[in-house]
């Protein structure tokens, strides 16, 4: 047998949210609503969809791997240099590239837990150890995370707001943490949900890049921009860090359609605003409903809520699936008693509330 690298024995498969197709087939349903993967319920920006159609004539051409138009658009929006930007086939690939560029066998990486599983996956697959700090649904103190850093630490992963809890760190907390972290440790700040954050003290992290050359700000087009299916993510960091990333970046990973749609999406502030407004209203409705049923709802800065259901969380997830409503059970995140619900359109939220009510009564 061809033996895989020994590091692979420590890895478990990524557990994605269930797909609409899967649930439709299993329960023989016509209509299925998915509130499980934090996708934009309004879909992609109509401008992005138009841009996508327009490039259909040039599918035979390779994309430009250096994506100058997209990178310029990002640089302009955030006021950073183009040489400070890297893009990837989703930010998942950016995490993977960070692993290839910076994590060595025998190193370690630290991260708040529970959190997005890809950080640990990348760490282990590069032969390093992952040290998770925190447990349950409480917010991990960044002081505790800083204390876990030692001379073998290469990357500190902080997801803000955090997936799956929705909890966030303020600019003051982040700055205090950055001051404590040694300059040779990359701080991977995952801001996949930053555009949804409404807290006035949520960090303006790109402004911190000049002060902290080890800061790495990760963003994505998958969430508020509604382009999860096209796969495009981007990140901003110091020029030295970005240069190292380009060396290991697959040359044509961000395809043409993704590039043009991302540029259009970035410019569609109307769609972003509509999404944000609908999200804020949905958080209120769903939080009140779950609290009304007696469940604890964590306060969120994302486009999802994390709800403590208790021992029967899995049962609720199964019940909802059988009725054509997909939410995310959080056992694979280490929170077996919680569920994560993506904020949907008003009618989707109402349907969810009606189904939960049915389950609670039954
Ligand atoms: C969804 C998500 C991503 C993945 O984004 P892609 O750009 O679709 O790969 C990254 N980080 C977090 C925390 C996420 O929840």
């Amino acid at each position: 047998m061809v033996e895989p690298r020994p590091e692979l024995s420590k890895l478990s498969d990524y557990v994605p949210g269930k797909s609409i197709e899967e649930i439709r087939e299993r329960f023989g349903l016509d209509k299925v609503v998915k509130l499980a993967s934090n996708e934009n319920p309004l879909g992609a920006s109509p401008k992005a969809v138009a841009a996508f159609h327009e490039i259909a004539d040039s599918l035979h051409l390779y994309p430009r791997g250096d994506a100058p138009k997209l990178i310029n658009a990002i640089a302009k929006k955030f006021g950073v240099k183009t040489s400070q930007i890297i893009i990837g086939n989703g930010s998942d690939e950016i995490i993977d590239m960070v692993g290839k560029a910076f994590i060595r066998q025998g190193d370690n990486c630290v991260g708040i837990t529970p959190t997005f599983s890809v950080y640990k996956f990348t760490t282990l697959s590069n032969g390093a150890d992952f040290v998770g700090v925190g447990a349950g649904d409480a917010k991990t103190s960044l002081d505790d995370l800083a204390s876990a850093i030692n001379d073998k630490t290469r990357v500190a992963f902080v997801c803000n707001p955090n997936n799956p809890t929705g909890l966030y760190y303020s600019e003051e907390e982040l700055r205090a943490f950055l001051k404590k972290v040694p300059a040779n440790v990359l701080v991977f700040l995952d801001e996949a949900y930053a555009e949804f954050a409404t807290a006035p003290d949520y960090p303006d992290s790109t402004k911190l890049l000049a002060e902290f050359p080890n800061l790495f700000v990760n963003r994505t087009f998958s969430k508020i921009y509604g382009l999860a299916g096209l796969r495009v993510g981007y990140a901003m960091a110091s020029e030295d860090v970005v240069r190292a990333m380009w060396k290991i970046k697959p040359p044509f990973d961000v395809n043409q359609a993704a590039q043009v749609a991302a540029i259009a999406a970035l410019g569609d502030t109307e769609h972003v605003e509509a999404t944000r407004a609908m999200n804020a209203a949905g958080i209120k409705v769903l939080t009140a409903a779950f609290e009304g049923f007696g469940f604890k709802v964590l306060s969120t800065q994302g486009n999802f809520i994390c709800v403590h259901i208790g021992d029967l969380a899995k049962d609720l997830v199964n019940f909802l699936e059988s009725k054509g409503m997909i939410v995310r059970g959080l056992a694979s995140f280490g929170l077996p008693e919680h569920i994560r619900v993506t904020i949907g359109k008003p009618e989707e939220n109402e349907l969810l509330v009606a189904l939960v009510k049915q389950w609670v009564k039954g």
Side-chain angles (χ1 to χ4, degrees):
M1 174 188 163
V2 185
E3 291 285 344
R5 290 163 55 223
E7 290 83 2
L8 271 56
S9 65
K10 292 186 189 164
L11 303 177
S12 37
D13 293 340
Y14 180 77
V15 186
K18 294 221 172 62
S19 72
I20 289 177
E21 205 176 27
E22 198 181 337
I23 295 303
R24 200 186 276 149
E25 280 171 16
R26 175 158 3 129
F27 297 100
L29 299 164
D30 288 334
K31 191 171 176 286
V32 173
V33 173
K34 183 185 181 200
L35 300 179
S37 298
N38 301 340
E39 293 143 332
N40 188 332
L42 293 178
S45 139
K47 291 180 179 155
V49 176
F52 177 87
H53 284 297
E54 270 167 35
I55 59 94
D57 288 344
S58 46
L59 294 184
H60 58 297
L61 299 174
Y62 276 98
R64 273 194 69 173
D66 56 347
K69 287 185 182 151
L70 174 57
I71 287 188
N72 272 317
I74 296 167
K76 209 168 152 200
K77 180 172 168 69
F78 290 95
V80 299
K81 294 187 207 157
T82 54
S83 51
Q84 288 183 276
I85 296 166
I86 183 85
I87 55 172
N89 186 267
S91 50
D92 283 351
E93 191 190 47
I94 293 180
I95 301 169
D96 181 62
M97 290 194 279
V98 162
K100 286 180 181 152
F102 300 107
I103 303 174
R104 302 165 303 196
Q105 202 156 18
D107 288 336
N108 71 53
C109 296
V110 302
I112 58 167
T113 43
T115 195
F116 190 52
S117 63
V118 177
Y119 317 137
K120 183 175 177 179
F121 173 84
T122 295
T123 303
L124 298 184
S125 63
N126 284 288
D129 289 327
F130 186 82
V131 180
V133 179
D137 64 12
K139 179 170 149 182
T140 300
S141 129
L142 290 183
D143 287 344
D144 292 348
L145 186 65
S147 304
I149 293 173
N150 63 25
D151 0 328
K152 290 197 166 172
T153 307
R154 300 288 287 171
V155 184
F157 290 99
V158 178
C159 186
N160 193 34
N162 189 31
N163 177 5
T165 59
L167 302 172
Y168 82 105
Y169 296 102
S170 69
E171 180 142 346
E172 200 182 331
E173 287 171 295
L174 180 64
R175 181 182 281 279
F177 176 69
L178 288 164
K179 283 191 173 156
K180 282 187 191 160
V181 177
N184 65 342
V185 175
L186 189 78
V187 175
F188 189 99
L189 185 65
D190 192 339
E191 294 193 336
Y193 302 98
E195 299 87 352
F196 293 102
T198 53
D201 59 352
Y202 181 79
D204 187 352
S205 55
T206 45
K207 295 244 165 66
L208 299 171
L209 287 169
E211 203 178 327
F212 300 99
N214 59 336
L215 175 61
F216 189 98
V217 181
N218 179 64
R219 296 276 186 122
T220 181
F221 284 97
S222 297
K223 304 289 157 61
I224 205 160
Y225 294 109
L227 298 177
L230 271 184
R231 314 302 304 130
V232 49
Y234 60 104
M236 292 161 280
S238 67
E239 290 179 295
D240 289 343
V241 166
V242 167
R243 208 173 297 123
M245 302 273 295
W246 279 102
K247 287 194 176 172
I248 49 85
K249 183 182 170 296
F252 304 114
D253 54 344
V254 181
N255 69 64
Q256 280 192 68
Q259 292 186 27
V260 296
I263 295 167
L266 207 56
D268 192 349
T269 43
E270 212 177 302
H271 189 68
V272 167
E273 285 311 323
T275 305
R276 220 187 319 235
M278 194 185 68
N279 189 63
I283 288 173
K284 282 195 188 138
V285 169
L286 288 182
T287 300
F290 276 101
E291 286 179 350
F293 296 131
F295 301 119
K296 179 176 90 171
V297 180
L298 305 197
S299 127
T300 187
Q301 289 291 314
N303 65 342
F304 54 88
I305 52 169
C306 183
V307 187
H308 180 250
I309 301 294
D311 289 347
L312 293 174
K314 180 85 187 114
D315 186 67
L316 172 59
V317 171
N318 292 343
F319 172 81
L320 293 174
E321 282 175 3
S322 73
K323 302 287 179 188
M325 171 65 68
I326 315 175
V327 302
R328 189 77 183 258
L330 294 177
S332 69
F333 284 78
L335 293 175
E337 297 192 350
H338 295 67
I339 62 169
R340 191 192 67 198
V341 178
T342 304
I343 309 302
K345 290 186 207 161
E347 61 272 25
E348 294 170 331
N349 299 335
E350 273 168 38
L351 176 62
L352 172 67
V353 172
L355 291 170
V356 175
K357 188 173 183 180
Q358 210 178 315
W359 179 76
V360 167
K361 287 192 169 165

